[in-house]
Amino acid sequence: DAGVIQSPRHEVTEMGQEVTLRCKPISGHDYLFWYRQTMMRGLELLIYFNNNVPIDDSGMPEDRFSAKMPNASFSTLKIQPSEPRDSAVYFCASSHRGLAYEQYFGPGTRLTVT
Amino acid sequence: TQLLEQSPQFLSIQEGENLTVYCNSSSVFSSLQWYRQEPGEGPVLLVTVVTGGEVKKLKRLTFQFGDARKDSSLHITAAQPGDTGLYLCAGAWGNTGTASKLTFGTGTRLQVTL
């Protein structure tokens, strides 16, 4: 079975540009999570969805960040405009209801904003 | 904000040695997970503990949940180079059937050399 799929794996962009990160969760999973990982702050939850509905976006750093989940098999995280401090590895994870705390992570997208 | 402190932050040992990693919080968890992350990849779930005092074994890895469900430990016996990686604990709050939001610990970076 395919795991969580993320694209692109690496993204290098200039400050001010729009960045879109994509995620395909494991089929049948009800929850989808977006995390950001940096050396300074570790792994931080940005937002999560249940059945395609955003439940908690309190971790989204500011209005430049937005996330959508138009259907059960696809989600995007958009940064507009991007800034150098957004440079990090962004992970998508999914889980199944009843065991929602057992999350399965994708390989991540390494974002570099210059 | 609930915090999960892990210790030590870094650990470099030789193959065959034993080690213990700790995860502590002032909050009570409904469940606690341990993940291992290798460079360039997302965290991979190792185990979930739910009951205070619970002990789980995964080959050479032994996981224990504190009686008060505020702390946990991971013990590795006869470490091997393949154990190298970043070990993360993550806590969840709320009913185990619905709890989904995880807070990740600060991480322990383990290096096992020949």
Side-chain angles (χ1 to χ4, degrees):
Chain A
D1 288 341
V4 175
I5 298 172
Q6 290 187 248
S7 64
R9 290 296 309 275
H10 302 273
E11 177 81 35
V12 180
T13 190
E14 293 184 345
M15 183 175 65
Q17 296 298 306
E18 177 180 296
V19 175
T20 299
L21 311 181
R22 297 173 175 80
C23 174
K24 177 179 170 55
I26 294 173
S27 177
H29 279 191
D30 307 281
Y31 288 88
L32 184 139
F33 307 83
W34 282 102
Y35 289 89
R36 178 172 66 178
Q37 187 176 39
T38 62
M39 288 294 292
M40 291 296 295
R41 301 177 65 89
L43 196 61
E44 302 174 282
L45 177 65
L46 300 177
I47 184 172
Y48 78 93
F49 297 82
N50 181 21
N51 292 324
N52 312 338
V53 176
I55 303 301
D56 186 341
D57 65 354
S58 60
M60 296 286 262
E62 48 197 274
D63 291 344
R64 297 184 298 105
F65 286 70
S66 63
K68 294 182 179 180
M69 191 166 186
N71 57 62
S73 59
F74 183 66
S75 177
T76 60
L77 178 67
K78 184 177 294 186
I79 308 172
Q80 166 62 21
S82 57
E83 296 183 1
R85 59 194 169 118
D86 301 330
S87 297
V89 182
Y90 290 81
F91 289 102
C92 176
S94 69
S95 65
H96 189 274
R97 68 178 184 275
L99 287 174
Y101 46 82
E102 295 192 344
Q103 299 178 10
Y104 294 84
F105 284 75
T109 295
R110 180 173 295 277
L111 174 65
T112 303
V113 183
T114 61
Chain B
T1 302
Q2 289 91 352
L3 294 176
L4 277 166
E5 296 290 334
Q6 288 186 238
S7 62
Q9 281 187 298
F10 302 96
L11 194 54
S12 182
I13 62 172
Q14 290 190 322
E15 183 180 20
E17 293 185 27
N18 302 330
L19 67 117
T20 302
V21 174
Y22 300 93
C23 174
N24 295 286
S25 173
S26 57
S27 301
V28 176
F29 300 110
S30 58
S31 70
L32 190 139
Q33 288 74 44
W34 283 93
Y35 290 80
R36 179 170 65 210
Q37 183 178 17
E38 298 186 19
E41 299 180 9
V44 175
L45 178 67
L46 296 174
V47 77
T48 296
V49 285
V50 177
T51 306
E54 182 176 6
V55 177
K56 281 192 174 180
K57 292 190 175 184
L58 185 66
K59 297 183 180 178
R60 295 175 293 101
L61 278 59
T62 301
F63 305 86
Q64 184 162 7
F65 204 10
D67 291 340
R69 292 188 291 135
K70 291 184 178 182
D71 56 87
S72 181
S73 64
L74 158 60
H75 182 80
I76 301 178
T77 303
Q80 298 178 0
D83 296 327
T84 294
L86 177 67
Y87 287 82
L88 296 162
C89 63
W93 289 266
N95 184 295
T96 53
T98 58
S100 53
K101 187 173 178 178
L102 293 178
T103 295
F104 278 82
T106 49
T108 294
R109 196 167 297 277
L110 171 66
Q111 182 172 26
V112 182
T113 56
L114 293 171

